[in-house]
Amino acid sequence: IGTPIEVGYALEELGFSVVSCAGNHALDFGTEAIDRTAALFSGAGILTPGIQPTSDGDFRPYALLEENGIRCAFLGFTETTNGHRLPEDTPWVLHTLDDEAQVRQALSDARAAADLVVVFVHWGTEYAAEPDENQLRWAKVFADSGADVVLGTHPHVLQSWDWVAVDGGRETLVYYSLGNCISAQTDPACRLGGLAWFTAAMEGGVC
């Protein structure tokens, strides 16, 4: 959203299956840009958790993808919107962290529908080397609500990763910030990016 359309074509050619689109710049160019982005990726068979076209008519909390017999649910959220308000008539176009109860319900619904639940989240303090208190709190919310993996962006620098424990002995893998992948920012810390690598496997019917 807000980038040249050729970037979308390149992601399609590279074989991406999922592109997280919920971020603080998602509403910079209005809902028309969200509609164009959703249409482009939908036409290429690419899931876009975190945004929905205005024509959807209702909030769809997650996107489903099945790979190697594993049902994967992907959710996307953004903590900020650069001061832009969600449109009153189509509030589902961008998924935010404004309503914690709604976020928890979205995770619960995804957990019931899938073997693996992955959350993409745009959060945190820009240029901070460590996660802030709000990231730590939301990581626990995601973990408690059923997320298996959390992939964070927005700070523009690499931050730590951790396992967040929940009741029952389950743990959620959280990458607080993967830094920048491609950016015009010149600060040395902003020129570093990370790739999250993890393996999902079914054991006894449980992922």
Side-chain angles (χ1 to χ4, degrees):
I1 301 175
T3 59
I5 198 168
E6 287 80 7
V7 174
Y9 296 144
L11 293 175
E12 178 185 0
E13 291 179 8
L14 288 169
F16 278 79
S17 300
V18 183
V19 175
S20 173
C21 294
N24 60 306
H25 291 288
L27 287 171
D28 286 0
F29 295 94
T31 57
E32 296 84 359
I34 289 180
D35 281 342
R36 286 195 299 271
T37 301
L40 169 67
F41 286 128
S42 176
I46 298 173
L47 303 179
T48 55
I51 64 166
Q52 297 179 229
T54 54
S55 59
D56 265 8
D58 200 4
F59 175 63
R60 288 187 292 104
Y62 59 86
L64 276 177
L65 175 69
E66 184 167 333
E67 288 287 342
N68 300 320
I70 299 176
R71 292 169 301 165
C72 306
F74 297 95
L75 301 92
F77 300 101
T78 182
E79 185 178 41
T80 60
T81 60
N82 284 359
H84 301 296
R85 293 188 177 185
L86 292 172
E88 293 185 4
D89 55 341
T90 57
W92 57 81
V93 295
L94 178 63
H95 300 179
T96 71
L97 297 179
D98 291 343
D99 186 337
E100 183 174 325
Q102 184 184 60
V103 171
R104 287 182 178 272
Q105 186 62 54
L107 266 292
S108 178
D109 292 345
R111 180 78 275 165
D115 304 304
L116 179 76
V117 177
V118 178
V119 174
F120 298 98
V121 58
H122 210 71
W123 61 358
T125 303
E126 289 186 321
Y127 316 116
E130 295 296 333
D132 61 29
E133 291 185 4
N134 215 36
Q135 285 173 278
L136 297 175
R137 187 184 76 81
W138 274 109
K140 190 68 166 62
V141 170
F142 295 145
D144 288 342
S145 302
D148 294 299
V149 181
V150 177
L151 301 170
T153 55
H154 179 64
H156 297 295
V157 295
L158 288 170
Q159 292 182 344
S160 58
W161 64 272
D162 199 4
W163 290 96
V164 176
V166 296
D167 293 341
R170 190 174 60 81
E171 292 184 309
T172 297
L173 178 59
V174 180
Y175 295 88
Y176 287 99
S177 175
L178 296 175
N180 285 334
C181 181
I182 298 175
S183 172
Q185 295 177 321
T186 57
D187 186 277
C190 296
R191 296 173 68 181
L192 296 175
L195 295 177
W197 182 274
F198 58 90
T199 300
M202 297 289 285
E203 295 182 5
V206 178
C207 192

